[in-house]
Amino acid sequence: MALLSPTLRGIVAAWTLFALVAYASPVDNVKRDSLSSIPSGWLMHEDLPSAETMITLQVGLKQQKVDKLIEALYEVSDPDHKRYGNHLSKEQVEALVQPHPSSLAAVDDWLTSCGVDPASATRSPAKDWLTVTVPISLAEQLVNAKYRTFNHMESKRKVVRSLEYNLPASVSEHIDVIHPTTFFGSSSLTVTTPSRKRSVPLESGSLNSTGDPCTSQPFNLITPACLMHLYRFDDYVPRAASKNRLGVVNYEGDLAVNSDLQSFFTQFRPDAVNSTFGIQSVGGGIISTNFSSDEASLDVQWAMGLTSPTPVTVYSVGSHAEDGLDVSDPQGDPFLGWALFVLNQTTPPQVFTTSYADTESAVPVDYAKRLCNTFAQLGARGISVIFGSGDSGVDNDVDCSAVTDTTPFQPSFPGGCPFFTSVGGTIGINPEFGVGGPVSPPSNYRGSGGGFSNKITSENIQVFPRPSYQDKAVSAYLKNLGSTYEGLFNRSGRAYPDIAAQSNNFAIVLDGETDGDSGTSASGPVVAAVISLLNDFLLSKGKPPLGFINPWLYSKGFKGLNDILIGQSEGCNGRGFNSSTGWDPVTGLGTPDFLNLQRLL
Ligand SMILES: *[C@@H]1O[C@H](CO)[C@@H](O)[C@H](O)[C@H]1NC(C)=O
Ligand SMILES: *[C@@H]1O[C@H](CO)[C@@H](O)[C@H](O)[C@H]1NC(C)=O
Ligand SMILES: *[C@@H]1O[C@H](CO)[C@@H](O)[C@H](O)[C@H]1NC(C)=O
Ligand SMILES: *[C@@H]1O[C@H](CO)[C@@H](O)[C@H](O)[C@H]1NC(C)=O
Ligand SMILES: *[C@@H]1O[C@H](CO)[C@@H](O)[C@H](O)[C@H]1NC(C)=O
Ligand SMILES: *[C@@H]1O[C@H](CO)[C@@H](O)[C@H](O)[C@H]1NC(C)=O
């Protein structure tokens, strides 16, 4: 038995795994998921969690009219449809996702048969989620699997998960997903900010006229003034701040500190000095603001620095004590915890930005689909969901030493979900390049995340096929690409990113020090800010917000973007896609030009 690290006593290596997944299951059981190995980055403890430890199971019941929900989402988001902008209310969305009464009954029967009182469960307003807290021994009976304790090697976070789960046939068809089981994922969220460096200046063709805000700053940092000038919203004065709100989502105790924010304002946005952000704790998320993190400081300083005086609320999701089990976390998984929390709010922010990503292959099919449909619910409510596309080109969170010419690309998650907006990264001004590769100016991270969803079910059905709103733009790219990289990605998968923004050397203040920060973590808040200001304009005219923006972006909005024609994305061993005319898997449709976008509304 190999002990991989002296500090992680009692942890077994992945090769003992086969001995542990073989849990006897009765014949009428349906195998819901089973992992062939422990997800990379995690180690399994030899000791079993104690049978009396309480664990909170989140059960996602089958949503009855999910097809109707998606149809409604597309109608209210399609600028040529008569329902455009007519977003659904909380109650209308809940009516569509309500489970069928037979599903409610089957799930109650299943709980009862295992000795769990259905009345002890808490339920979401639509009853499509059920939460029960039970001893691990009982949870193991419910999902017909063994729970084990795992450590995340990097964060040292400890969780309880199973390597498979099985449900009786009588209830299986009524359940979409159960968490925690085989999904380790967003508990190991990789923040997309890799580096804090100010050493790499903007090299190629920086504007250099006297007083230009992009060259008159020290160290060639990108500042709010520079960015607002570059994307042409330096003259826009928000006028609907009382009706508009921008949400920033941070996880794992990442927080922004007010004194750093004030120092950022003093240097870069003096008119915003003394304004601050609201904090919403989700699932026990920390709300103290005296512990600073890189990611949260970048997100909050830039969200506020670009949209002031628009109110910004930070959703701080899940507090994870260094060594604590997360089994009693009432909100369970962080992405889901955040999304379900927002769906339960009557007037949530109209735009959310999230600079955290997972790896598509690490997310089980059931979970990926259900979370994606949850984004569809947010979109139907008129909420724009924005994620950075990842910082390692075509190979998200991959150990490059194991990559050969035939290793498929590794997309990020939720990159493949069609119901949110993915933001890639650019560098340089005049021209603006996609990030990565020898053609682009040197950047502080590897490459703008981008590619095509690869996810398939065990029956070989594609989980996230290309949505029709992308057909024209993406087929044109694929036609030019020809057979390059054939077999390494799925041509018919949802392609990402959708849009891009600057991402290198963003000014931030961390622990009192001004520094540069890079990655698509920076691009996400920029695009979120632009959408939020476009919403401000719409709201000031009494119109609804943009909501799920992709159908508009691909049919009309792209004309208000700067098409990025040069640069590459860089994954492992130099492989990656090129930026090119029209949509590409490096910079999507391009970077925002606020004045042009505003004209198109
Ligand atoms: C939804 O919000 C209501 C009112 O704020 C709260 O009482 C309830 O516990 C929430 N439900 C869930 C499932 O979070
Ligand atoms: C900007 O212009 C000044 C004056 O013409 C010149 O000295 C400087 O090298 C220029 N900087 C860049 C980055 O081109
Ligand atoms: C910010 O608040 C401090 C303390 O209340 C006050 O002295 C200062 O004038 C304010 N600054 C601005 C720009 O409003
Ligand atoms: C924040 O400050 C308070 C009071 O100074 C302290 O008790 C608390 O531990 C601090 N929190 C963090 C996260 O550092
Ligand atoms: C693409 O998806 C199809 C299923 O739709 C699958 O058969 C094929 O293996 C996938 N190709 C790659 C390269 O992932
Ligand atoms: C990217 O462009 C270079 C230079 O034009 C070309 O050699 C290469 O094949 C292109 N790669 C892809 C993936 O399109």
Side-chain angles (χ1 to χ4, degrees), residues 394-595:
V394 294
D395 291 306
N396 194 68
D397 201 16
V398 164
D399 169 9
C400 289
S401 66
V403 168
T404 69
D405 288 352
T406 56
T407 311
F409 295 156
Q410 184 55 261
S412 67
F413 182 82
C417 172
F419 308 132
F420 82 107
T421 302
S422 172
V423 186
T426 63
I427 184 171
I429 295 168
N430 234 350
E432 213 174 338
F433 295 79
V435 172
V439 177
S440 306
S443 55
N444 292 327
Y445 69 103
R446 198 159 78 201
S448 173
F452 300 78
S453 175
N454 255 344
K455 204 152 195 65
I456 51 173
T457 66
S458 51
E459 291 86 37
N460 207 26
I461 295 165
Q462 192 152 37
V463 179
F464 298 124
R466 182 167 70 225
S468 61
Y469 65 76
Q470 283 194 319
D471 270 345
K472 203 170 145 209
V474 173
S475 345
Y477 178 85
L478 288 171
K479 193 158 170 248
N480 283 337
L481 183 69
S483 60
T484 308
Y485 296 139
E486 200 165 87
L488 302 188
F489 69 97
N490 214 316
R491 296 173 78 92
S492 55
R494 191 288 205 226
Y496 74 102
D498 302 298
I499 187 170
Q502 289 282 326
S503 59
N504 204 58
N505 249 353
F506 273 48
I508 68 159
V509 177
L510 188 63
D511 299 330
E513 215 185 294
T514 305
D515 218 328
D517 216 343
S518 306
T520 56
S521 274
S523 318
V526 172
V527 166
V530 168
I531 297 174
S532 185
L533 292 176
L534 291 170
N535 281 344
D536 177 276
F537 174 69
L538 289 168
L539 294 169
S540 76
K541 303 244 174 263
K543 293 186 184 170
L546 283 165
F548 173 47
I549 195 175
N550 296 12
W552 176 76
L553 214 49
Y554 282 82
S555 64
K556 295 199 157 59
F558 73 94
K559 294 180 203 138
L561 301 177
N562 311 303
D563 191 2
I564 306 303
L565 307 174
I566 186 166
Q568 291 160 290
S569 67
E570 193 178 341
C572 292
N573 312 332
R575 61 191 196 164
F577 293 109
N578 290 343
S579 293
S580 63
T581 305
W583 181 89
D584 57 68
V586 186
T587 56
L589 296 163
T591 62
D593 179 324
F594 184 82
L595 288 180

Side-chain angles (χ1 to χ4, degrees), residues 170-478:
S170 58
V171 74
S172 184
E173 61 176 301
H174 300 287
I175 291 179
D176 277 348
V177 68
I178 300 182
H179 181 80
T181 51
T182 52
F183 181 41
F184 288 60
S186 33
S187 42
S188 62
L189 293 171
T190 46
V191 173
T192 67
T193 310
S195 57
R196 303 176 57 216
K197 270 192 229 150
R198 60 183 167 210
S199 52
V200 182
L202 280 173
E203 286 191 344
S204 95
S206 294
L207 300 173
N208 194 13
S209 56
T210 323
D212 185 281
C214 288
T215 51
S216 60
Q217 302 296 338
F219 318 115
N220 287 316
L221 287 174
I222 300 268
T223 62
C226 162
L227 198 106
M228 291 164 86
H229 180 74
L230 183 65
Y231 293 152
R232 302 211 298 163
F233 57 107
D234 39 355
D235 288 336
Y236 184 78
V237 181
R239 37 200 119 157
S242 62
K243 298 182 210 153
N244 199 16
R245 194 148 61 105
L246 174 55
V248 170
V249 195
N250 289 128
Y251 299 92
E252 306 185 337
D254 282 347
L255 288 166
V257 173
N258 193 46
S259 56
D260 285 345
L261 178 67
Q262 299 311 320
S263 160
F264 181 84
F265 285 155
T266 304
Q267 294 179 72
F268 305 114
R269 191 74 209 251
D271 63 315
V273 165
N274 286 351
S275 61
T276 190
F277 52 96
I279 307 179
Q280 177 71 65
S281 166
V282 179
I286 298 171
I287 55 168
S288 134
T289 58
N290 52 358
F291 176 77
S292 58
S293 101
D294 203 354
E295 179 62 55
S297 305
L298 174 71
D299 297 347
V300 171
Q301 289 168 19
W302 277 83
M304 297 192 74
L306 296 178
T307 63
S308 174
T310 307
V312 168
T313 302
V314 174
Y315 284 61
S316 172
V317 185
S319 68
H320 307 305
E322 278 287 289
D323 207 29
L325 296 181
D326 77 340
V327 288
S328 60
D329 177 353
Q331 297 287 342
D333 179 69
F335 281 164
L336 196 55
W338 158 70
L340 297 183
F341 185 92
V342 175
L343 283 171
N344 192 32
Q345 293 193 298
T346 332
T347 49
Q350 294 89 343
V351 180
F352 279 97
T353 177
T354 307
S355 293
Y356 298 72
D358 217 315
T359 297
E360 193 180 68
S361 64
V363 184
V365 169
D366 285 357
Y367 185 91
K369 278 205 225 168
R370 183 64 185 244
L371 182 65
C372 184
N373 288 344
T374 307
F375 291 170
Q377 290 173 246
L378 293 169
R381 295 267 307 267
I383 298 167
S384 309
V385 176
I386 314 295
F387 276 71
S389 67
D391 294 347
S392 10
V394 294
D395 291 306
N396 194 68
D397 201 16
V398 164
D399 169 9
C400 289
S401 66
V403 168
T404 69
D405 288 352
T406 56
T407 311
F409 295 156
Q410 184 55 261
S412 67
F413 182 82
C417 172
F419 308 132
F420 82 107
T421 302
S422 172
V423 186
T426 63
I427 184 171
I429 295 168
N430 234 350
E432 213 174 338
F433 295 79
V435 172
V439 177
S440 306
S443 55
N444 292 327
Y445 69 103
R446 198 159 78 201
S448 173
F452 300 78
S453 175
N454 255 344
K455 204 152 195 65
I456 51 173
T457 66
S458 51
E459 291 86 37
N460 207 26
I461 295 165
Q462 192 152 37
V463 179
F464 298 124
R466 182 167 70 225
S468 61
Y469 65 76
Q470 283 194 319
D471 270 345
K472 203 170 145 209
V474 173
S475 345
Y477 178 85
L478 288 171

